[in-house]
Structures are given as C-alpha cells and as structure tokens.
C-alpha cells in the first residue's frame, strides 16, 4: 500500500436489477487489478439500497448507509435504482416517488451534485446506428443541470370528484444556471474541441423561444461564457438539436442544458455511442461526486448475465479522474487510464462483448456474459 497517498473512502451502492450485476464486476476490477498494481489506498463501503431493499425493510437504505454516504464518502458509485414488485409494477414510496428516489435524485440535490456529466464517445469496435459516422465523428460531453428544473420537488396531484390534475413546476435559478454553465466552459477548456474543426465550443440547448426559465438559463450561459474568451458559444433549441445531432454529431464538443432536457437528450447521445451499455456518467458537485452508469436497473434483462459492465466501468474511470483532480493526486489518474485502455482494447478486438454490441459488423460474434467481459478486461490490464 502506498503510505504517502490519501485513503479514499468510496461508497458503493449496487441498488437494484443489473446494478447488482455490474457493480460487483467494477469492484472486482478495482480490487483485483487496481489496488494491487497501482497502490491506491481505497476504503470501500458497500451498502444495500433501492426498491428491493424498500420492499424488504420499508426503508430505501439503512440509517447507517444514509449517514455515511451523505457525510463521509469521498466518492459514490451507484449501480441502478428501480425495482418491480410482485404485481409487476415499479415499487413506489407512499408519496408516489420511485423507491430509491432519495438515492438517485435525492443525493443529487442534497449534496448539490449540480453537473451531470454524460460523455458521448463512440469507441472503435462499437456499432452506432448512424450509418456513415465513425469514432472520429462522435466525441462530445453533455452537461445536464442536475439539481433544479423539472426535477425540483415542486410537484403534486389534486384529485377531487370534479377535478383531477397534476403539476410539475419547473424552477430555474440564476445561481443554478450560472454554476452549471461555468462547469461546462471549464470542461471545454480541458478538451480538444469538436471533432469537425477542433473548435472548443459549448452549445446551450434550451427552449428559450418559449420558456422563461430557458431565457434565464441562456442569459446566465452568456454572462458566464463571456469570461471564457477562448471558447465559442453556440446555441440550439432542444427540438432542433435532436435533429442536428443526428445529422452532424461531429459539430458538438460540450453541450449544456437544463435538467429534464438533459435527461432526454443524453439517452439520445447514449444511442449514438452504441447504447446505454457503454454510457457512463458523473454527478459532480464542489466537494462530492457520485458516478453511475446511465442504464439504471434495467429490470428487463436483470438476472440474465446480459448486462454490459462497460458503462459502470467507464463510470468508475470517471470517478478516479475526478478524485485525481480534486485531490491533486496522480495515482487515481493512473487507475482510470488502466481501466480505459483495457476497455478500449477489448472493444477494438471485437471478440468478447455482451449481446448489445453484437450488431452490424459484429453480428456474428457469439455474445459473452457480464463476467466474461470483465474477465477479459482484467486480463488485458495485466
Ligand atoms: C437518469 C435516470 C433518472 C433521471 C431516473 C431514474 C430518476 O433516468 O439518471 O437519467 O431521470 O435522472
Ligand atoms: Mn434518464
């Protein structure tokens, strides 16, 4: 063990469904291949949580899990939240929210993890639905505002004999908009620009032709963006953006948007890079951060061994990169690099992959299981 380095307290929350299949694989990669070789000092704390735990106990997670995660964790790694009950319906809390809501959405708000970073990068060896696009065309990062917008808990339902209505109020603040815009511009500084022209470009995706909140969001974007002379500001309405990104993904570098739009367009981004099986994410705040594959608990394939561990592993790589930056420590960066290089090699070779990637040129490849893919990734890490 590295006596000099910092000891990182990592909270691991597998959650529900395939979260409980991919997260143990991440743990295996971290413990088998990283801790010993890279001499990083990690203290791993794993807790049960989510919809299934709620069914068993009436709580979304234990008090201890909640306390430790909220106050002590340096970084959090989450699998996926969302379980189905015996009736086949999603398990919900008495207030109607998804059981596990306090973890997936609650932590984003309570810990002020205001930037939801969702990279969209097509790796060599991964099939994209865009017939004429190649890995060199698809490499952008979607930064989704993660604490307010439609996800701000100002919602309700009024049900009377004569009236039945629901409301989801969308809250947009200058503070929330400015801090996520600043994050996006700072992030663009570290990148090499858009694939089409290497221009460092931040695109503000909104609906400011109609919505007051989006007008404030765009004003904040401009205000902050003026401080970043070397970065080009770009604008798109969210409806038009979905069309343009399919036609010309190479134009986009960093994209910043409000919460619910970000939820939707990042799944579109997921499709462009080969599906949710390879889509990682980070929920980043000032002091804290939580990393999770975008796929969630995927109850439809849970328990079949079909889940792709790569999205969760890339999320772990993002976690190490964040720790490295935050604590100015090169060791976690080395860990991230080893994970990434090994994933890239396995994808490039194209022989060992889960079913979701056995398409197009790779349609004849015999699908491997979650474990087989991880075994190969660990083997390549040497
Ligand atoms: C995501 C998910 C969540 C969200 C759900 C599970 C609440 O879809 O992380 O994108 O809407 O943010
Ligand atoms: Mn989503």
């Amino acid at each position: 063990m590295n006596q000099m380095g910092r000891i990182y307290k990592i909270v691991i929350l597998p959650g529900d469904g395939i979260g409980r299949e991919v997260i143990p694989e991440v743990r295996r990669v971290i413990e088998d291949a990283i801790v010993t070789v890279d001499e990083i000092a990690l203290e791993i704390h794993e807790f049960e949580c989510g919809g299934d735990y709620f069914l068993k106990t009436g709580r979304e997670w234990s008090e201890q899990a909640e306390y430790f995660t909220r106050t002590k964790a340096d970084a959090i790694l989450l699998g996926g939240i969302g379980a189905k009950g015996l009736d086949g319906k999603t398990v919900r809390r008495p207030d109607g929210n998804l059981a596990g809501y306090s973890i997936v959405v609650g932590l984003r708000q309570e810990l002020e993890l205001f930037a939801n970073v969702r990279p969209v990068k097509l790796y060599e060896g991964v099939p994209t639905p865009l017939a004429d696009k190649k890995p060199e065309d698809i490499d952008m990062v979607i930064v989704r505002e993660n604490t307010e917008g439609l996800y701000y808990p100002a919602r309700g339902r009024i049900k009377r004999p004569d009236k039945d209505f629901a409301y989801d109020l969308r809250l947009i603040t200058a503070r929330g908009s400015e801090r996520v815009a600043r994050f996006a511009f700072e992030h663009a500084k570290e990148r090499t620009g858009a694939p089409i022209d290497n221009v460092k470009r931040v695109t503000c995706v909104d609906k400011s032709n109609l919505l007051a909140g989006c007008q404030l969001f765009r004003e904040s974007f401009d205000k902050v963006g003026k401080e970043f002379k070397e970065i080009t500001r770009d604008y798109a309405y969210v409806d038009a953006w979905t069309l343009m990104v399919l036609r010309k993904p190479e134009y986009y570098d960093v994209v910043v948007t409000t919460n619910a739009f970000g939820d939707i367009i990042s799944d579109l981004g997921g499709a462009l890079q080969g599906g949710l099986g390879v889509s990682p994410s980070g929920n980043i705040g000032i002091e804290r951060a939580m990393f999770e594959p975008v796929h969630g608990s995927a109850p439809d394939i849970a328990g079949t061994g079909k889940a792709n561990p790569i999205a969760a592993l890339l999320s772990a790589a993002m976690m190490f990169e964040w720790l490295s930056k935050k604590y100015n420590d090169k060791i976690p960066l080395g860990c991230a690099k080893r994970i990434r290089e090994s994933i890239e090699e396995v994808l490039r070779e194209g022989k060992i992959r889960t079913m979701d990637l056995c398409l197009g040129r790779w349609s004849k490849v015999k699908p491997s299981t979650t474990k087989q893919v991880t075994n190969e990734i660990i083997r390549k890490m040497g």
Side-chain angles (χ1 to χ4, degrees), residues 169-186:
L169 299 182
R170 195 173 76 129
L171 178 89
I172 305 279
T173 68
R175 172 179 175 260
S177 306
E178 283 175 26
R179 70 180 175 183
V180 77
R182 183 170 303 284
F183 184 96
F185 284 103
E186 293 286 358

Side-chain angles (χ1 to χ4, degrees), residues 217-268:
F217 191 78
R218 192 180 279 207
E219 271 171 38
S220 310
F221 170 83
D222 273 329
K223 181 175 164 202
V224 171
K226 285 191 182 122
E227 294 171 29
F228 295 80
K229 300 268 180 285
E230 69 281 34
I231 313 234
T232 301
R233 268 173 282 149
D234 179 51
Y235 310 86
Y237 297 135
V238 61
D239 47 352
W241 187 83
T242 62
L243 178 145
M244 294 189 298
V245 77
L246 292 180
R247 290 206 168 139
K248 222 200 238 190
E250 60 274 27
Y251 184 74
Y252 298 102
D253 175 16
V254 174
V255 172
V256 65
T257 190
T258 55
N259 204 338
F261 292 157
D263 179 41
I264 299 164
I265 71 167
S266 62
D267 272 24
L268 174 58

